[in-house]
Amino acid sequence: MMRLDTRDPGFAAAFESLLDTARETTAKVDAAVGEIINAVRQEGDAALLRLTARFDGWQPADAAALRVTAAEIEAAAAGIEPSLLAALDLAAERIERFHRAQMPGDLEIPDPAGLTLGMRWTPLDAVGLYVPGGKAAYPSSVLMNALPARVAGVGRIAMVVPTPGGQLNPLVLAAAKRAGVTEVYRIGGAQAVAALAWGTATIAPVDRIVGPGNAYVAEAKRQVFGRVGIDSIAGPSEVVILADASNDPRLVAIDLLAQAEHDESAQAILLTDDAGFADAVVAAVAAELEILPRAAIAGESWRRHGAVILVRDWEEAFALTNRLAPEHLELMLPDPRAAMAKVRHAGAAFLGRHCPEAVGDYVAGPNHVLPTGRTARFASGLSVFDFLKRTTWVEASEAGLQAIGPAAVALAEAEGLQAHGRSVALRLR
Amino acid sequence: MMRLDTRDPGFAAAFESLLDTARETTAKVDAAVGEIINAVRQEGDAALLRLTARFDGWQPADAAALRVTAAEIEAAAAGIEPSLLAALDLAAERIERFHRAQMPGDLEIPDPAGLTLGMRWTPLDAVGLYVPGGKAAYPSSVLMNALPARVAGVGRIAMVVPTPGGQLNPLVLAAAKRAGVTEVYRIGGAQAVAALAWGTATIAPVDRIVGPGNAYVAEAKRQVFGRVGIDSIAGPSEVVILADASNDPRLVAIDLLAQAEHDESAQAILLTDDAGFADAVVAAVAAELEILPRAAIAGESWRRHGAVILVRDWEEAFALTNRLAPEHLELMLPDPRAAMAKVRHAGAAFLGRHCPEAVGDYVAGPNHVLPTGRTARFASGLSVFDFLKRTTWVEASEAGLQAIGPAAVALAEAEGLQAHGRSVALRLR
């Protein structure tokens, strides 16, 4: 863990290195992924059967066996403890409500020149949802990826989830059922991405693929981009917490560790204006690491990438936060709304002392799929906007064209595009 | 040019091949681009000077010479013919007005459980605008790329434009001036993209790079993606025109050719329900090709990629249009609004007989940077949304956390993330 003080002469350089350190090295898998994609494009289902046996360690009997049946989904959901199903329900309702509020409206603008201009939002026809298998299979991520697509009005959601050794995660299926996803395939890796992008006899192609995955999945998404849309490639997760000395150090410590427990590449950073409070949080982190089940992972993340930065004042903290552009930001300050007004770049913000990030990870309503690694400078969390696209339109009357057409002709001719100019000019006569 | 009839037995296969034909092969330039980006990262301005001499054929005296001065911009604008400047002004005003109407509002949602949820839009800090040099330097594209960024509230717009042989295009500079762009560098290619992404002593880095370019520029944008945001990689342009026999065949022909004159890879497709009208349009295209200055390019595009498709009825035409998902769509039908309601996928639509696409290319107001190559299935034209990002936020009272916290704890424990659960549970006591 790095301790920094903005008053130290070496601070600027140390902070710069904190910003520039890549916390994860990306495996070089382009060629392997390219081969997998070609195999699926050329052989379709046959390639899926072969690659699933090879990478997931089970042999599907035939292409039909790749699809999870409705009965399997029902059985999985029926086996979940009712209190857990109720929690899933509460989360789903709240996520749906928030994303419904995001839905944008169409524009229709009458224009002084006599034209009408418009912009219309329409949902994508079909979306693919990649859900990681094994340990990283999170039902909450199924809700966070599928529900915005449903709310946006996407007609078809095809979910893929690898099942190492043939094992399905029942809570993932229960989340799929709750999110209204009925088309689920037990495939994963680059081969699943290829099948969603290009289609096979069994799996119809989609228009966009979302959801997290390992290096192979990320590279496959990069390679099919253009054929289909993709979401951004997520890096390791991070939190920045701004907390003054009036907070309980233990609460700040557990919030830092909730981030750190994701994986060793996660990053948790505290910014505070009180050196004694910083010490108390560091001690509380050590105490919590004694009892946490995932202490090995969280401890490694904290030692490698954690940071405690002592600031002169909060203005300085806001400026540093804007440079960090964190995925998650907790504002444990007396006036968190005023603080929020000073922060320009963050994926999601949590305001006040009663609002740990974990509330947002599960049940608050906003999406937990967020821009990582300083990309909140230009990127946003997953939303209904990921599942909608715009068509702009222009309607011109004869008089409208007479009003603005001559300017179009002048510009077209200046650009040397005479057919452009003529397409307008012929209508002006 | 391909003539198809939906009644022919071979139609489905022929239409499928029309959909799948790549009209452009992408040059393999990854390695060359990787070297250029590394050179700029390691050597900064020195690499820019060397690469500009090598690729653009002129030797900048020093790094300061890379910047176009305010006096040069003023002089360029002062030399433009007043009627052309007036056309540029009309276009800019209309583009600004339309994009201002796009600006979304923030959300603040009080929640029955006692939380407040929100979503806030903020502009990017800094954007890079790539403008191609030489023949493809279009002042209209400067307006279409820069004005939405200005309207969104982007603080800094850095424009790069290669100047082959040292020659600047005055109308491009005049458009930059009209769009409020004051930071212009005479650099291009992968080296310009690298400079915008990583920064040099002379050029501060930006957060997102937009604008069209050649294969090197496109590959450079791919390689810097993640460090900065990029816009989508545009392919060759296309138009689909739906026109019935009540139209003037010559107007349909010139609209098809306005698309075809862009370059040999452009595509123009007519869908009509009248064989005689189709013949008349084909004849009118031939007649126009006799007189158009860019007939060599337009003719080549029309012969290679043009298509005339005879449909049984308009429902069939709408279904085919949705599969084509064209960048531009002209609806030259008696009730274009009803037709528009049937089309789900198109970048931009032009309604009625008095609305050639060229109006939208220059002066209508909506953006002319649009999704090509069937990507309108999932992508949208350039807009203020490209220069804004969202931060979602959650504000929880103590009572609010009590209401929804237990569900978060249950889900966190089911996912095996105990620190997540504990960060909520400790606050519930």
Side-chain angles (χ1 to χ4, degrees), chain A residues 332-366:
Chain A
M332 299 178 71
L333 298 174
D335 187 351
R337 291 236 185 171
M340 176 76 184
K342 301 291 185 89
V343 173
R344 294 192 312 282
H345 310 310
F350 302 89
L351 279 61
R353 311 187 196 291
H354 308 288
C355 202
E357 183 211 307
V359 165
D361 290 338
Y362 293 109
V363 293

Side-chain angles (χ1 to χ4, degrees), chain A residues 26 35 67 129 135 143 146-147 194 228 266 290:
Chain A
T26 316
E35 280 170 29
R67 176 127 184 202
L129 167 54
K135 284 183 299 178
L143 298 183
L147 289 172
V228 298
E290 297 291 317

Side-chain angles (χ1 to χ4, degrees), chain A residues 120 261 288 343 420 422, chain B residues 120 261 340 343 420 422:
Chain A
R120 188 187 64 175
E261 77 172 338
E288 287 289 331
V343 173
H420 281 65
R422 194 162 154 82
Chain B
R120 189 187 62 174
E261 77 171 336
M340 177 76 185
V343 174
H420 280 67
R422 194 162 155 80

Side-chain angles (χ1 to χ4, degrees), chain B residues 145-365:
Chain B
N145 279 276
L147 289 172
R150 292 274 294 181
V151 169
V154 170
R156 178 179 160 239
I157 302 175
M159 177 174 140
V160 294
V161 54
T163 56
Q167 292 304 300
L168 275 161
N169 178 328
L171 200 52
V172 160
L173 288 187
K177 177 175 144 74
R178 176 57 185 82
V181 178
T182 56
E183 189 181 338
V184 181
Y185 302 96
R186 35 166 59 92
I187 53 173
Q191 60 273 24
V193 173
L196 290 171
W198 291 95
T200 69
T202 303
I203 304 174
V206 301
D207 299 308
R208 190 161 207 258
I209 301 173
V210 300
N214 64 16
Y216 286 81
V217 172
E219 174 59 26
K221 281 163 71 180
R222 270 195 203 94
Q223 291 192 19
V224 300
F225 175 60
R227 169 79 187 183
V228 298
I230 60 168
D231 58 355
S232 57
I233 310 289
S237 192
E238 72 255 349
V239 72
V240 168
I241 301 180
L242 274 59
D244 66 8
S246 68
N247 284 284
D248 177 348
R250 192 170 62 147
L251 292 182
V252 174
I254 192 69
D255 289 4
L256 291 166
L257 290 170
Q259 190 62 47
E261 77 171 336
H262 272 294
D263 63 71
E264 293 85 350
S265 309
Q267 183 166 53
I269 298 177
L270 168 67
L271 275 69
T272 184
D273 63 345
D274 187 299
F277 181 73
D279 292 339
V281 172
V282 171
V285 166
E288 287 289 331
L289 281 174
E290 297 292 318
I291 55 170
L292 277 181
R294 290 171 71 89
I297 294 169
E300 187 66 13
S301 153
W302 179 244
R303 279 185 295 275
R304 271 204 233 161
H305 304 296
V308 174
I309 304 178
L310 189 66
V311 296
R312 285 188 193 83
D313 55 45
W314 293 108
E315 291 303 320
E316 200 171 55
F318 303 144
L320 295 177
T321 301
N322 281 325
R323 294 187 60 200
L324 288 162
E327 181 190 15
H328 304 102
L329 173 67
E330 290 191 13
L331 297 168
M332 297 178 72
L333 298 174
D335 188 350
R337 292 237 184 170
M340 177 76 185
K342 303 288 185 90
V343 174
R344 294 192 311 282
H345 309 310
F350 302 88
L351 279 61
R353 311 187 195 290
H354 307 289
C355 202
E357 183 212 308
V359 165
D361 290 338
Y362 294 110
V363 293

